[in-house]
Coordinates of all heavy atoms in Angstrom, one line a residue:
Q147 N -2.2 -8.7 51.2 CA -1.9 -9.7 50.1 C -3.1 -10.2 49.4 O -3.1 -10.4 48.2 CB -1.1 -10.9 50.8 CG -0.6 -11.9 49.7 CD 0.6 -11.4 49.0 OE1 0.8 -10.2 48.9 NE2 1.3 -12.2 48.4
K148 N -4.2 -10.4 50.2 CA -5.5 -10.9 49.6 C -6.0 -9.8 48.6 O -6.6 -10.1 47.6 CB -6.5 -11.2 50.6 CG -6.2 -12.5 51.4 CD -7.2 -12.8 52.4 CE -7.0 -14.0 53.3 NZ -8.0 -14.2 54.3
V149 N -5.9 -8.5 49.0 CA -6.4 -7.5 48.1 C -5.6 -7.4 46.8 O -6.1 -7.3 45.8 CB -6.3 -6.1 48.9 CG1 -6.6 -5.0 47.9 CG2 -7.3 -6.1 50.0
L150 N -4.3 -7.6 47.0 CA -3.4 -7.7 45.7 C -3.8 -8.8 44.8 O -3.9 -8.7 43.6 CB -2.0 -7.8 46.1 CG -1.2 -6.6 46.7 CD1 0.2 -6.9 46.9 CD2 -1.4 -5.4 45.8
L151 N -4.1 -10.0 45.5 CA -4.6 -11.1 44.7 C -5.9 -10.9 44.0 O -6.1 -11.2 42.9 CB -4.6 -12.4 45.5 CG -3.2 -13.0 45.8 CD1 -3.4 -14.1 46.9 CD2 -2.7 -13.7 44.5
A152 N -6.8 -10.2 44.8 CA -8.1 -9.9 44.2 C -8.0 -9.0 43.0 O -8.6 -9.2 42.0 CB -9.0 -9.3 45.3
R153 N -7.1 -8.0 43.1 CA -6.8 -7.1 42.0 C -6.3 -7.9 40.8 O -6.8 -7.6 39.7 CB -5.8 -6.0 42.4 CG -5.4 -5.1 41.3 CD -4.0 -4.5 41.5 NE -3.9 -3.7 42.7 CZ -2.7 -3.3 43.2 NH1 -1.6 -3.6 42.6 NH2 -2.7 -2.6 44.3
A154 N -5.4 -8.8 41.0 CA -4.8 -9.6 39.9 C -5.9 -10.5 39.3 O -6.0 -10.6 38.1 CB -3.7 -10.4 40.5
L155 N -6.7 -11.1 40.1 CA -7.7 -12.1 39.6 C -8.8 -11.4 38.9 O -9.5 -11.9 38.0 CB -8.2 -13.0 40.7 CG -7.1 -13.9 41.3 CD1 -7.7 -14.6 42.6 CD2 -6.7 -14.9 40.3
A156 N -9.1 -10.1 39.3 CA -10.1 -9.3 38.7 C -9.8 -9.1 37.2 O -10.7 -8.7 36.4 CB -10.4 -8.0 39.4
R157 N -8.5 -9.3 36.8 CA -8.1 -9.1 35.4 C -8.3 -10.3 34.6 O -7.9 -10.3 33.4 CB -6.6 -8.6 35.4 CG -6.5 -7.2 36.1 CD -5.0 -6.9 36.5 NE -4.1 -6.9 35.4 CZ -2.8 -6.8 35.6 NH1 -2.3 -6.7 36.9 NH2 -1.9 -6.9 34.6
D158 N -8.9 -11.4 35.2 CA -9.1 -12.6 34.5 C -7.9 -13.2 33.8 O -7.8 -13.4 32.6 CB -10.2 -12.4 33.4 CG -11.5 -12.0 34.0 OD1 -11.9 -12.5 35.1 OD2 -12.3 -11.2 33.3
P159 N -6.8 -13.5 34.6 CA -5.6 -14.0 34.0 C -5.8 -15.4 33.4 O -6.5 -16.2 33.9 CB -4.6 -14.0 35.2 CG -5.5 -14.1 36.4 CD -6.7 -13.4 36.1
K160 N -5.0 -15.7 32.4 CA -4.8 -17.0 31.9 C -3.6 -17.7 32.6 O -3.6 -18.9 32.9 CB -4.6 -17.1 30.4 CG -5.7 -16.6 29.6 CD -5.4 -16.5 28.1 CE -6.5 -16.0 27.2 NZ -6.1 -15.9 25.8
V161 N -2.6 -16.8 32.9 CA -1.4 -17.3 33.6 C -1.2 -16.3 34.8 O -1.2 -15.1 34.6 CB -0.2 -17.3 32.7 CG1 1.1 -17.7 33.4 CG2 -0.4 -18.1 31.4
L162 N -1.1 -16.9 35.9 CA -0.9 -16.1 37.2 C 0.5 -16.4 37.7 O 0.9 -17.6 38.0 CB -1.9 -16.5 38.2 CG -1.9 -15.7 39.5 CD1 -2.2 -14.2 39.2 CD2 -3.0 -16.2 40.5
L163 N 1.4 -15.4 37.8 CA 2.7 -15.5 38.2 C 2.8 -14.9 39.6 O 2.6 -13.7 39.8 CB 3.7 -14.7 37.3 CG 3.5 -15.0 35.8 CD1 4.3 -14.1 34.9 CD2 3.9 -16.5 35.5
L164 N 3.2 -15.7 40.6 CA 3.2 -15.3 42.0 C 4.6 -15.4 42.6 O 5.2 -16.4 42.6 CB 2.3 -16.2 42.8 CG 0.8 -16.2 42.3 CD1 0.1 -17.5 42.8 CD2 0.1 -15.0 42.8
N165 N 5.1 -14.2 43.1 CA 6.4 -14.2 43.7 C 6.3 -14.2 45.2 O 5.9 -13.2 45.8 CB 7.1 -12.9 43.2 CG 8.6 -12.9 43.5 OD1 9.1 -13.6 44.4 ND2 9.3 -12.2 42.7
D166 N 6.5 -15.4 45.8 CA 6.5 -15.6 47.2 C 5.1 -15.1 47.8 O 5.1 -14.3 48.7 CB 7.6 -14.9 47.9 CG 8.4 -15.9 48.8 OD1 7.9 -17.0 49.0 OD2 9.5 -15.5 49.3
P167 N 4.0 -15.7 47.3 CA 2.7 -15.1 47.7 C 2.3 -15.2 49.1 O 1.4 -14.5 49.6 CB 1.7 -15.8 46.8 CG 2.4 -17.1 46.5 CD 3.9 -16.8 46.4
T168 N 2.9 -16.1 49.9 CA 2.5 -16.3 51.3 C 3.5 -15.8 52.2 O 3.5 -16.0 53.4 CB 2.2 -17.8 51.6 OG1 3.4 -18.5 51.5 CG2 1.2 -18.4 50.7
R169 N 4.5 -15.0 51.7 CA 5.5 -14.4 52.6 C 4.9 -13.5 53.6 O 4.2 -12.5 53.2 CB 6.5 -13.7 51.7 CG 7.7 -13.0 52.4 CD 8.6 -12.5 51.3 NE 9.8 -11.8 51.9 CZ 10.0 -10.5 51.7 NH1 9.2 -9.7 51.0 NH2 11.0 -9.9 52.3
G170 N 5.2 -13.7 54.9 CA 4.7 -12.8 55.9 C 3.3 -12.9 56.3 O 2.8 -12.0 57.0
V171 N 2.6 -14.0 55.8 CA 1.2 -14.1 56.2 C 1.0 -15.2 57.2 O 1.8 -16.1 57.3 CB 0.3 -14.4 54.9 CG1 0.5 -13.3 53.9 CG2 0.5 -15.7 54.3
D172 N -0.1 -15.2 57.9 CA -0.3 -16.2 59.0 C -0.8 -17.5 58.4 O -1.1 -17.6 57.2 CB -1.3 -15.6 60.0 CG -2.7 -15.3 59.4 OD1 -3.2 -16.0 58.6 OD2 -3.3 -14.3 59.9
V173 N -0.9 -18.5 59.2 CA -1.2 -19.9 58.8 C -2.6 -19.9 58.2 O -2.8 -20.6 57.2 CB -1.0 -20.9 59.9 CG1 -1.5 -22.2 59.5 CG2 0.4 -20.9 60.4
A174 N -3.6 -19.3 58.8 CA -4.9 -19.3 58.3 C -5.0 -18.7 56.9 O -5.7 -19.3 56.0 CB -5.9 -18.6 59.3
T175 N -4.4 -17.6 56.7 CA -4.4 -16.9 55.4 C -3.7 -17.8 54.4 O -4.2 -18.0 53.2 CB -3.7 -15.6 55.5 OG1 -4.4 -14.7 56.4 CG2 -3.6 -14.9 54.1
R176 N -2.6 -18.5 54.8 CA -1.9 -19.3 53.9 C -2.8 -20.5 53.4 O -2.8 -20.8 52.2 CB -0.7 -19.9 54.6 CG 0.3 -20.7 53.8 CD 1.5 -21.1 54.7 NE 2.2 -19.9 55.1 CZ 3.5 -19.8 54.9 NH1 4.2 -20.8 54.4 NH2 4.2 -18.8 55.3
L177 N -3.6 -21.1 54.3 CA -4.4 -22.2 53.9 C -5.5 -21.7 52.9 O -5.9 -22.4 52.0 CB -5.0 -22.8 55.1 CG -4.0 -23.5 56.0 CD1 -4.7 -24.1 57.3 CD2 -3.3 -24.6 55.3
V178 N -6.1 -20.5 53.2 CA -7.1 -19.9 52.2 C -6.5 -19.8 50.9 O -7.1 -20.1 49.8 CB -7.6 -18.6 52.8 CG1 -8.4 -17.9 51.7 CG2 -8.4 -18.8 54.0
L179 N -5.2 -19.3 50.8 CA -4.6 -19.0 49.5 C -4.3 -20.4 48.8 O -4.4 -20.5 47.6 CB -3.3 -18.2 49.7 CG -3.5 -16.8 50.2 CD1 -2.2 -16.1 50.3 CD2 -4.5 -16.0 49.4
Y180 N -3.9 -21.4 49.6 CA -3.6 -22.7 49.0 C -4.8 -23.2 48.3 O -4.8 -23.7 47.1 CB -3.1 -23.7 50.0 CG -1.7 -23.5 50.5 CD1 -1.2 -24.3 51.5 CD2 -0.9 -22.5 50.0 CE1 0.1 -24.1 52.0 CE2 0.4 -22.3 50.5 CZ 0.9 -23.1 51.5 OH 2.1 -23.0 52.0
D181 N -6.0 -23.1 49.0 CA -7.2 -23.6 48.4 C -7.6 -22.8 47.1 O -8.1 -23.4 46.1 CB -8.4 -23.5 49.4 CG -8.3 -24.6 50.5 OD1 -7.6 -25.6 50.3 OD2 -8.9 -24.4 51.6
L182 N -7.4 -21.5 47.2 CA -7.7 -20.7 46.1 C -6.8 -21.1 44.9 O -7.3 -21.2 43.7 CB -7.4 -19.2 46.4 CG -7.4 -18.2 45.3 CD1 -8.9 -18.1 44.7 CD2 -6.9 -16.8 45.7

Side-chain angles (χ1 to χ4, degrees):
Q147 185 74 339
K148 288 179 182 178
V149 172
L150 286 184
L151 281 168
R153 180 206 297 169
L155 294 171
R157 293 160 64 186
D158 297 325
K160 295 177 182 176
V161 180
L162 185 62
L163 309 173
L164 300 162
N165 195 332
D166 234 349
T168 65
R169 180 173 178 245
V171 305
D172 60 40
V173 173
T175 299
R176 187 174 296 230
L177 294 177
V178 169
L179 296 182
Y180 287 178
D181 286 343
L182 171 68

